[in-house]
Amino acid sequence: MSVRNRASNTAGPSVARNKPPAPPLKRIARLAGTVFVGLLLVCMAAWGVLALYYFDHESLTLRTGLAAAFALASLIGLVGFALPRWRWRAFTVYLALFAVVLLSWRAIEPSNDRDWQPDVAVLPYASIDGDRITVHNIRNFDYRTETDFTPGYYDKTFDLRKLDGVDLIATYWMGPAVAHIFLSFDFEGGDHLAISIETRKERGEAYSTIEGFFRQYELYYVVADERDVIRLRTNYRKDPPEDVYVYRLYGPIENARHLFLQYIKEINALKDRPEWYNTLTTNCTTAIWMHTRINPGHPPLSWKILASGYVPEYLYEIGRLDSSLPFAELQRRAHVNARAQAADKAADFSRQIRAGLPEAKLSASH
């Protein structure tokens, strides 16, 4: 009996120490969760390194040093996360470090007071008196080349009741998937006001898609005469050359007026409170889409809005462009380079580039 007791006493603790293995699905879920968190840490590390490298106009030496230090800390955190004993302590410490970087980055404030490139140096704004809207600092440069020009601006009063058309302008320079999109508002009597949402670059600064994610550029609304903003692209941009298409939009006229006022509101707001441009969330097409949300029945968000070159095709598919022609034929007619080059500095430039386009007008109801 004592032998059986000793055997029983010996077996008891051994059985207690040998826990049954977790069910297969639980093990798979645990592994998947660990892998997901690990990938999340890698993404956070990449974002943090780039955010510090492009941090708030600091010197290159300081930014490079901060980015390298964060990269080293990220590597240590990832190694710690890979070790089960240290996993969650490493994760917690790394989250705290990342939060410091994120909060510091979010604290960077945009400014209207920098040494701007001449083409974006002057901010437009508008005065509103009922239906009469006076737009100040409409850009109309006298170009000799893309970079050699005489700056010029004028003020003009528009009657909102006479807004009778909106055109979408699509500019291509690197294949069908990428385009710069902007709108031109048409008024009775042949007046046109083009508004292009762009980056406000400092003197000597070039555009970078990657830098556009990291608060490098302020948001800027180019409010311009079409002889400036369209002719610049058709007649003077050569490296690379650009193909410009003008499409007449269909929809209720009241929606167009609401959209125009929404643009004016944002233009005035940027004069008093600058904002950041963002390559993904606040660019030439997503900002237009955000403005259209003021109207009922606005275009649904689509991947073709993010792949901006397909915006005209998308609008055709949902009935916002002339559907009496196949899209390929409509696109052919919308190409304005040859007509713009022939019109050049003509006073009726806007009329000449629209020769052959459908005479679509906004309707009282859609």
Side-chain angles (χ1 to χ4, degrees):
M1 183 173 180
S2 62
V3 173
R4 284 198 301 268
N5 287 341
R6 283 197 299 271
S8 176
N9 291 340
T10 303
S14 176
V15 171
R17 284 194 297 269
N18 293 331
K19 297 180 181 179
L25 287 178
K26 189 174 182 179
R27 292 201 305 271
I28 292 172
R30 187 180 299 162
L31 177 61
T34 302
V35 171
F36 174 79
V37 174
L39 291 174
L40 180 62
L41 288 176
V42 171
C43 293
M44 292 164 62
W47 184 91
V49 168
L50 289 171
L52 288 169
Y53 183 76
Y54 294 118
F55 194 81
D56 196 25
H57 301 81
E58 297 291 348
S59 71
L60 178 61
T61 301
L62 176 60
R63 291 187 286 111
T64 302
L66 289 172
F70 186 79
L72 179 60
S74 299
L75 181 59
I76 295 172
L78 287 169
V79 171
F81 184 77
L83 302 174
R85 183 179 176 184
W86 296 94
R87 175 165 297 156
W88 298 114
R89 277 176 282 186
F91 181 70
T92 302
V93 171
Y94 188 75
L95 274 186
L97 176 62
F98 182 81
V100 171
V101 174
L102 179 62
L103 291 174
S104 299
W105 179 78
R106 286 188 60 83
I108 302 172
E109 294 288 342
S111 174
N112 280 333
D113 185 20
R114 303 193 196 278
D115 183 16
W116 303 112
Q117 292 184 6
D119 57 326
V120 294
V122 177
L123 282 170
Y125 66 99
S127 305
I128 303 175
D129 181 15
D131 288 323
R132 296 177 62 80
I133 300 172
T134 301
V135 182
H136 304 274
N137 299 329
I138 300 172
R139 198 179 78 184
N140 189 26
F141 285 10
D142 181 16
Y143 292 94
R144 290 171 289 277
T145 68
E146 180 183 357
T147 57
D148 180 19
F149 49 76
T150 301
Y153 300 89
Y154 65 86
D155 301 344
K156 191 174 183 65
T157 300
F158 299 90
D159 188 337
L160 190 61
R161 294 166 298 183
K162 295 184 178 180
L163 175 62
D164 67 356
V166 182
D167 298 333
L168 180 137
I169 293 87
T171 303
Y172 297 81
W173 66 96
M174 57 180 298
V178 178
H180 177 64
I181 305 293
F182 61 97
L183 300 182
S184 184
F185 295 89
D186 308 344
F187 294 82
E188 290 180 15
D191 289 332
H192 299 265
L193 184 68
I195 305 179
S196 174
I197 301 171
E198 302 182 12
T199 58
R200 195 177 192 192
K201 297 186 288 292
E202 297 175 64
R203 196 180 296 271
E205 190 174 35
Y207 177 73
S208 163
T209 300
I210 294 177
E211 291 182 30
F213 286 101
F214 296 100
R215 299 194 168 195
Q216 288 294 293
Y217 311 111
E218 277 77 4
L219 186 65
Y220 187 74
Y221 280 54
V222 177
V223 180
D225 193 296
E226 289 189 338
R227 288 171 294 181
D228 179 311
V229 73
I230 292 179
R231 190 164 64 98
L232 167 64
R233 290 165 165 82
T234 55
N235 295 29
Y236 296 101
R237 291 237 172 116
K238 307 296 184 184
D239 187 24
E242 298 187 10
D243 288 299
V244 179
Y245 299 80
V246 176
Y247 297 94
R248 306 303 307 269
L249 292 172
Y250 282 60
I253 193 168
E254 285 305 314
N255 284 5
R257 291 168 180 165
H258 292 156
L259 180 60
F260 182 73
L261 287 174
Q262 187 72 5
Y263 265 77
I264 294 299
K265 177 182 177 181
E266 179 66 13
I267 288 165
N268 282 343
L270 288 175
K271 187 174 186 296
D272 300 323
R273 189 187 67 257
E275 298 178 18
W276 291 113
Y277 173 94
N278 184 278
T279 299
L280 180 63
T281 61
T282 314
N283 58 42
C284 65
T285 49
T286 56
I288 293 174
W289 182 79
M290 291 295 291
H291 285 320
T292 66
R293 295 175 65 200
I294 194 173
N295 290 317
H298 63 81
L301 185 61
S302 165
W303 68 268
K304 289 185 178 180
I305 292 176
L306 301 178
S308 53
Y310 298 111
V311 167
E313 182 180 356
Y314 172 59
L315 294 176
Y316 179 85
E317 292 168 353
I318 63 173
R320 302 302 172 90
L321 301 181
D322 180 18
S323 58
S324 66
L325 300 170
F327 179 73
E329 175 62 18
L330 181 65
Q331 186 179 49
R332 186 190 68 80
R333 295 190 186 188
H335 189 239
V336 301
N337 283 57
R339 296 193 292 271
Q341 290 160 9
D344 198 27
K345 298 182 180 182
D348 63 344
F349 175 87
S350 294
R351 183 192 63 80
Q352 290 192 41
I353 65 172
R354 287 170 172 80
L357 296 183
E359 290 296 327
K361 297 291 181 182
L362 298 179
S363 59
S365 62
H366 185 54

